Amino acid sequence: MAMLPQLTEGLGVTALIFILTLLFSLPLGLFLSFGRMAKCRLLAGLAKFYISVMRGTPLMLQLVVVYFAPYYVFGIRISSSWRFLAVILAFVLNYAAYFAEIYRSGIESMPAGQYEAASVLGYTRAQTFVRIILPQVIKRILPSITNEMITLVKDTSLAFVLAEVEMFTVAKQFAAAQASVMPLMIAGVFYYFFNLIVAVVMERAEKLLSYYR
């Protein structure tokens, strides 16, 4: 089929958005969770407000705001190269908020006794978190992270708002040109197999971390 090479190319853009979003939003979400749990009320309040805004407004709107912000806020002329960067930035800022709450729930679920035991053994608070707490947190939150990753794969289609040519945009163009829903159905199959790979990989990771079973 003539559309398959272009759909495959669009899938490459979709995969790139997916990978870059995870690469930056996962660590940013961890730092946000620290801010959310901070004893400083101002810092905790700012982190809570940020998370509330990111989770309470549509990602589509956030894409538009991030894309046009340089022009309306700073008067900077928007170049074509900014489009893809705006997509990644908007996705990272949005998903970091969701990951922050997942991290927070995992960290706060850990028994306080583990911190006390580590202190007795001579661990610093940072060493305790990195060597003892974080590995357990990752194990606990992996199913929730997997759900967000699957949602992210589907959300990449929102990049069409900024005219970024990912797989869904390509499928829409072919559907309009051919007056057929078949390109969209094929894109749906591509999305399904993408998510199937993500689910299989994350399920494997969960099994590897289930070392006490």
Side-chain angles (χ1 to χ4, degrees):
M1 299 176 69
M3 72 181 77
L4 285 180
Q6 292 187 51
L7 280 175
T8 303
E9 185 177 344
L11 178 61
V13 177
T14 294
L16 186 59
I17 295 172
F18 174 81
I19 292 169
L20 290 177
T21 299
L22 287 181
L23 184 63
F24 293 106
S25 63
L26 283 170
L28 178 58
L30 182 59
F31 284 111
L32 272 174
S33 70
F34 292 154
R36 179 75 171 80
M37 296 181 293
K39 293 181 180 179
C40 173
R41 290 187 178 182
L42 177 60
L43 180 58
L46 288 174
K48 184 177 181 180
F49 176 73
Y50 172 83
I51 292 170
S52 176
V53 171
M54 290 295 106
R55 298 203 306 169
T57 56
L59 176 54
M60 185 180 295
L61 175 61
Q62 293 168 23
L63 282 161
V64 174
V65 170
V66 170
Y67 181 68
F68 288 106
Y71 177 77
Y72 286 105
V73 177
F74 303 106
I76 300 174
R77 185 175 181 180
I78 298 173
S79 63
S80 58
S81 61
W82 170 242
R83 182 179 294 113
F84 183 75
L85 292 174
V87 168
I88 300 302
L89 181 58
F91 271 85
V92 168
L93 294 176
N94 178 273
Y95 271 83
Y98 288 92
F99 289 139
E101 287 299 272
I102 293 174
Y103 281 124
R104 184 178 67 85
S105 65
I107 294 170
E108 292 184 343
S109 70
M110 300 303 299
Q114 293 201 25
Y115 291 95
E116 296 169 359
S119 179
V120 171
L121 292 173
Y123 284 90
T124 65
R125 195 163 184 82
Q127 290 174 329
T128 300
F129 181 78
V130 173
R131 298 182 183 180
I132 299 173
I133 302 300
L134 186 58
Q136 297 179 73
V137 168
I138 292 173
K139 179 181 175 182
R140 292 189 179 194
I141 67 175
L142 212 53
S144 298
I145 293 291
T146 301
N147 286 336
E148 289 300 323
M149 289 172 67
I150 290 173
T151 301
L152 173 58
V153 172
K154 294 179 287 186
D155 277 352
T156 56
S157 62
L158 292 175
F160 83 90
V161 174
L162 301 185
E164 184 61 43
V165 186
E166 42 66 61
M167 185 168 59
F168 184 70
T169 302
V170 174
K172 280 180 57 182
Q173 291 171 350
F174 274 106
Q178 299 176 5
S180 170
V181 297
M182 185 56 65
L184 296 174
M185 299 299 290
I186 295 173
V189 172
F190 276 39
Y191 279 115
Y192 171 74
F193 279 105
F194 194 153
N195 268 327
L196 184 62
I197 292 171
V198 171
V200 169
V201 170
M202 296 305 289
E203 183 179 356
R204 177 61 177 166
E206 285 184 46
K207 289 181 179 179
L208 289 174
L209 291 174
S210 299
Y211 30 75
Y212 292 122
R213 293 184 181 178

